[in-house]
């Protein structure tokens, strides 16, 4: 990726080009030596604050979050406020009609994962996306009414607030209502994102009316108002989650899904419940890792990769070197194979989690890695799209002034989900059913080849890759991190962690640094376009890796609590449109 010249480089180049008098030259040199300038590879220094911090993928949401912290709300209050706000300002991924995972670490060290992943409707079953000849019906699980699972976001946010928040639902949801009702200026990013998804949104009248203004696309600076979404948010404000799952919103969803011959019923909605799960715990070098459990594969895969990589001296091999990438990719290949073959909703399938995240198991995987040669996996065609990172899924990280932390990743799955907006609600519905295995051996929209363990069943949650994660150092919070990006999420989180721990990058540098991705099948090593020097990709090819240049991966939002000076240091990913705000 192309980075602006750092301050240090700019000063050095001025010294080189200008004919300064010797005294000024000496002064400049003293400044360069004694003042710590931002280091080489960061696009900018991290945001630094003492009290609290919020890093999200959209600026209005970040400001709302930090205002909640300033007025005495805790990290969970801010997380819930942000969750509702992003549904308005970042409609591609922020949502009421999707689901996700909220990881919470309280200042006393207690950790929880709220699983508010969507569930398959009760009418869904194993072969629902197959034609009579047994082939996968194109777009059946990605587009339109049949692509949606029963949404979990409102239940998850309301549960989090009730159990861990300090403020009322009214206080945390009102900022989102104001944004929806009074409107907010459309950013370049939102304007472009809506245009990019016009084909999908056009196909559904309510989406075309609200998000495309019937073809009069929103241009940057214009005001986006959504009265329908404001109505839904007010129903939730006044009636709580009952308004969504039992009351007027549930009625509208169930009626419309029925009218379109689809399956989300009033009963599916009223029986939806989030699940409180125990986060996975592991370690990487001298850091504790607290991460998301199944039905996300993210935590297991992350821990498997970290356990494998721990035995290599990566800092000596160097960031971005072909040897470091080779070992990373071999770890990715092995851990993603386990994802595809073994994982699914733990309420339906048994996953050998303890074994998979053990150091012993990692050792057995590592023993098959050759330093000089890529391992083989069968090559299969990929359906993954190249190009810039799309607005699919969104992650935010929060730390409050007492040290409570939240890592929340939630999504509609694809950008703008299924494309369906339920009439009268402004609510875009997810296409999360595509995360299931429609047919063993066939790739989903993320190119993932998945197994029986992730097959479709009534009430089941599809396997996810979302990876909201905390790191600790000496038992104290060190890092809050996560990203969107489908399967690349797990590898993005991995690479940010390695950049911090092995390469001693700042949080901004760790997030900025170019990324690679391998997911076992197809056997492709994707590298961010412009990210790596040619001799690195040549060296990787000579080891036997099938290197493919790809678009940007992920949109990581991270906050680090620096154990040295106790400042919060945060960064938003330059690949996205995020903002980190501290106070
Ligand atoms: O849960 C998952 O893994 C996916 N539904 C996430 C989708 C996603 O991140 C899309 N972004 N590129």
């Amino acid at each position: 990726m192309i980075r602006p010249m750092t301050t240090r480089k700019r000063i050095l180049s001025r010294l080189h080009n200008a004919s300064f008098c010797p005294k000024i030259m000496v002064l400049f040199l003293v400044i360069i030596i004694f003042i710590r300038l931002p280091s080489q590879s960061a696009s900018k220094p991290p945001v630094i604050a003492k009290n609290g911090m919020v890093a999200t993928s959209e600026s209005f949401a970040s400001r709302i979050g930090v205002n909640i912290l300033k007025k005495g709300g805790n990290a969970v209050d801010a997380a819930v406020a942000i969750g509702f706000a992003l549904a308005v300002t970042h409609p591609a991924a922020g949502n009421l009609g999707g689901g996700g995972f909220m990881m919470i670490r309280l200042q006393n060290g207690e950790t929880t994962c709220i699983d508010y992943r969507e569930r398959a409707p009760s009418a869904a079953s194993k072969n629902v996306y197959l034609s009579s000849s047994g082939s996968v019906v194109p777009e059946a699980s990605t587009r339109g009414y049949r692509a949606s699972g029963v949404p979990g976001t409102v239940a998850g946010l309301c549960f989090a607030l009730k159990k861990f928040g300090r403020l009322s639902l009214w206080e945390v949801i009102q900022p989102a209502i104001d944004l929806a009702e009074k409107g907010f200026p459309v950013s370049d990013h939102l304007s472009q994102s809506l245009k990019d998804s016009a084909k999908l949104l056009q196909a559904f009248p309510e989406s075309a009316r609200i998000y495309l203004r019937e073809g009069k696309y929103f241009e940057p600076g214009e005001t986006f108002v959504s009265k329908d979404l404001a109505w839904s948010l007010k129903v939730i404000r006044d009636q709580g989650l009952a308004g969504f799952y039992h009351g007027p919103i549930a009625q509208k969803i169930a009626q419309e899904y029925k009218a379109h011959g689809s399956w989300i019923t009033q009963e599916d909605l009223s029986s939806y419940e989030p699940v409180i799960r125990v986060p996975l715990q592991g370690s990487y070098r001298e850091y504790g890792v607290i991460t998301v459990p199944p039905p996300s594969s993210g935590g297991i895969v992350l821990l498997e990769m970290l356990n494998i990589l721990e035995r290599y001296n990566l800092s000596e091999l160097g960031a971005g070197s072909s040897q470091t990438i080779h070992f990373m990719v071999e770890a990715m290949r092995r851990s993603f194979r386990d994802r595809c073959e073994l994982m699914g909703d733990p309420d339906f399938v048994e996953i050998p989690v303890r074994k998979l995240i053990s150091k012993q198991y990692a050792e057995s995987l590592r023993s098959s890695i050759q330093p000089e040669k890529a391992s083989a996996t069968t090559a299969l065609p990929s359906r993954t799209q190249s190009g810039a990172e799309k607005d699919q899924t969104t992650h935010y990280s929060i730390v409050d002034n007492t040290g409570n932390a939240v890592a929340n990743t939630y999504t509609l799955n694809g950008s703008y989900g299924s494309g369906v907006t339920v009439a009268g609600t402004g609510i875009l519905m997810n296409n999360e059913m595509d995360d299931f295995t429609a047919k063993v051996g066939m790739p989903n929209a993320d190119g993932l080849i998945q197994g029986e363990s992730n097959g479709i069943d009534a009430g089941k949650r599809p396997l996810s890759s979302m990876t909201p994660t905390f790191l600790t150092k000496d038992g104290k919070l060190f890092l809050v991190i996560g990203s969107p990006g489908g399967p690349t999420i797990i590898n993005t989180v991995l690479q940010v962690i390695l950049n911090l721990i092995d390469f001693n990058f700042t949080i901004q540098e760790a997030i900025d640094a170019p990324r690679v991705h391998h997911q076992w099948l197809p056997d492709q090593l994707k590298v961010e376009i412009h990210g790596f020097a040619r001799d690195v990709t040549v060296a990787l090819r000579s080891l036997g890796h099938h290197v493919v240049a790809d678009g940007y991966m992920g949109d990581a939002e991270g906050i680090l609590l620096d154990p040295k000076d106790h400042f919060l240091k945060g960064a938003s990913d330059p690949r996205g449109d995020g903002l980190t705000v501290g106070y």
Side-chain angles (χ1 to χ4, degrees):
M1 82 197 252
I2 303 159
R3 292 200 196 87
M5 208 189 257
T6 62
T7 315
R8 190 195 303 267
K9 277 190 194 153
R10 229 175 282 135
I11 293 172
L12 285 170
S13 96
R14 267 193 218 145
L15 276 175
H16 183 76
N17 295 331
S19 52
F20 288 106
C21 77
K23 269 189 188 162
I24 293 178
M25 290 276 284
V26 170
L27 186 64
F28 263 104
L29 284 172
V30 169
I31 289 170
I32 289 169
I33 291 163
F34 290 105
I35 295 183
R36 257 199 96 214
L37 292 169
S39 45
Q40 296 284 341
S41 61
S43 55
K44 56 186 177 185
V47 174
I48 300 183
K50 196 72 193 168
N51 296 309
M53 191 172 278
V54 167
T56 90
S57 53
E58 195 284 318
S59 61
F60 282 98
S62 293
R63 292 198 185 95
I64 284 171
V66 98
N67 284 342
I68 292 278
L69 295 182
K70 282 183 184 167
K71 70 184 254 196
N74 65 19
V76 176
D77 294 309
V80 176
I82 291 167
F84 285 121
L86 285 170
V88 181
T89 58
H90 186 40
N95 68 81
L96 302 180
F101 297 90
M102 184 181 290
M103 291 278 294
I104 299 171
R105 184 180 188 274
L106 300 179
Q107 138 260 345
N108 65 9
E110 197 185 306
T111 57
T112 308
C113 174
I114 303 175
D115 161 4
Y116 59 98
R117 182 77 162 153
E118 299 89 332
R119 298 174 69 191
S122 50
S125 59
K126 191 174 166 191
N127 295 329
V128 278
Y129 296 116
L130 302 187
S131 68
S132 51
S133 65
S135 55
V136 179
V137 179
E139 295 191 335
S141 62
T142 57
R143 215 165 170 279
Y145 291 88
R146 285 209 154 211
S148 303
V150 183
T153 294
V154 175
L157 296 182
C158 290
F159 177 88
L161 186 73
K162 196 163 168 207
K163 178 123 173 81
F164 297 101
R166 276 190 209 140
L167 304 183
S168 65
L169 182 55
W170 194 94
E171 286 168 290
V172 296
I173 207 170
Q174 194 57 40
I177 296 174
D178 293 342
L179 282 169
E181 201 156 46
K182 297 177 193 151
F184 62 94
V186 170
S187 63
D188 293 1
H189 187 87
L190 176 57
S191 167
Q192 193 56 50
S193 153
L194 289 165
K195 287 174 192 161
D196 289 346
S197 291
K199 197 165 161 238
L200 173 69
L201 296 168
Q202 205 88 62
F204 303 96
E206 275 295 278
S207 302
R209 180 177 71 78
I210 296 173
Y211 294 101
L212 301 178
R213 272 194 317 202
E214 310 290 9
K216 197 176 159 298
Y217 296 148
F218 285 99
E219 297 299 338
E222 288 194 278
T223 304
F224 185 97
V225 175
S226 179
K227 297 279 182 208
D228 292 356
L229 201 49
W231 174 84
S232 294
L233 289 163
K234 283 185 201 163
V235 168
I236 298 166
R237 177 192 65 190
D238 299 338
Q239 301 180 27
L241 62 90
F244 187 94
Y245 290 96
H246 303 270
I249 299 175
Q251 263 167 25
K252 285 185 193 288
I253 296 174
Q255 258 169 24
E256 185 162 327
Y257 271 66
K258 189 171 178 194
H260 287 84
S262 189
W263 42 29
I264 297 183
T265 62
Q266 181 98 37
E267 171 59 24
D268 284 326
L269 289 160
S270 59
S271 60
Y272 183 88
E273 283 196 343
V275 183
I276 305 311
R277 303 204 188 261
V278 181
L280 302 180
Q281 306 256 2
S283 66
Y284 181 64
R285 306 200 192 278
E286 68 271 38
Y287 294 82
V289 182
I290 302 162
T291 186
V292 66
S296 181
S297 64
I300 301 179
V301 175
L302 176 68
L303 287 171
E304 277 193 60
M305 296 191 294
L306 288 171
N307 287 340
I308 293 171
L309 292 167
E310 198 170 39
R311 299 296 299 273
Y312 297 105
N313 190 344
L314 298 183
S315 64
E316 199 173 282
L317 297 173
S321 72
S322 57
Q323 200 62 50
T324 291
I325 295 173
H326 170 67
F327 288 133
M328 256 174 12
V329 168
E330 292 303 308
M332 290 172 184
R333 191 195 303 275
R334 284 157 179 75
S335 311
F336 269 84
R337 181 189 56 197
D338 288 341
R339 179 199 194 282
C340 294
E341 290 183 345
L342 301 173
M343 297 179 208
D345 181 346
D347 296 340
F348 286 72
V349 291
E350 206 155 313
I351 310 171
V353 179
R354 281 164 73 98
K355 173 186 159 183
L356 294 176
I357 65 172
S358 70
K359 303 274 181 197
Q360 233 178 344
Y361 178 65
E363 202 42 50
S364 72
L365 293 178
R366 200 181 76 88
S367 64
S368 65
I369 297 176
Q370 297 173 264
E372 315 269 296
K373 192 168 180 285
S375 315
T377 43
T378 327
L380 281 173
S382 167
R383 283 170 53 195
T384 324
Q385 307 279 311
S386 290
E389 171 63 26
K390 297 248 180 65
D391 283 330
Q392 304 162 331
T393 309
T394 187
H395 172 85
Y396 48 91
S397 297
I398 305 169
V399 180
D400 70 21
N401 63 355
T402 63
N404 299 310
V406 171
N408 187 75
T409 315
Y410 76 149
T411 188
L412 292 167
N413 191 25
S415 242
Y416 302 92
S418 61
V420 171
T421 301
V422 175
T425 69
I427 296 175
L428 274 158
M429 295 291 283
N430 69 84
N431 62 344
E432 215 71 62
M433 293 297 284
D434 190 58
D435 278 353
F436 279 118
T437 309
K439 182 176 179 174
V440 174
M442 289 305 291
N444 72 353
D446 283 324
L448 285 167
I449 312 280
Q450 311 193 82
E452 292 283 2
S453 53
N454 189 30
I456 305 168
D457 207 341
K460 193 174 175 183
R461 288 160 150 85
L463 187 63
S464 172
S465 299
M466 292 187 267
T467 316
T469 295
F470 302 118
L471 257 58
T472 56
K473 176 98 192 289
D474 302 323
K476 298 201 180 79
L477 183 71
F478 174 70
L479 177 71
V480 188
I481 190 72
S483 174
T488 70
I489 293 174
I490 319 174
N491 291 333
T492 290
V493 170
L494 171 78
Q495 287 164 86
V496 173
I497 292 174
L498 301 182
N499 289 341
L500 285 169
I501 296 179
D502 291 281
F503 308 126
N504 210 15
F505 285 9
T506 68
I507 181 75
Q508 187 72 60
E509 291 167 335
I511 283 176
D512 291 358
R515 297 180 186 142
V516 305
H517 174 70
H518 197 294
Q519 60 184 41
W520 178 53
L521 289 171
D523 186 2
Q524 285 179 341
L525 164 51
K526 294 193 168 170
V527 298
E528 278 186 329
I529 196 153
H530 310 313
F532 297 90
R534 208 177 104 77
D535 53 2
V536 173
T537 51
V538 167
L540 286 164
R541 285 201 175 96
S542 75
L543 292 175
H545 294 287
H546 306 290
V547 181
V548 180
D550 203 27
Y552 292 121
M553 298 170 195
D555 181 4
E557 303 290 326
I559 301 176
L560 182 143
L561 181 53
D562 194 328
K564 291 192 213 96
D565 56 18
H566 308 292
F567 275 99
L568 292 166
K569 299 181 179 173
S572 291
D573 202 320
R575 296 161 183 83
D577 196 31
L579 179 71
T580 299
V581 190
Y583 79 105

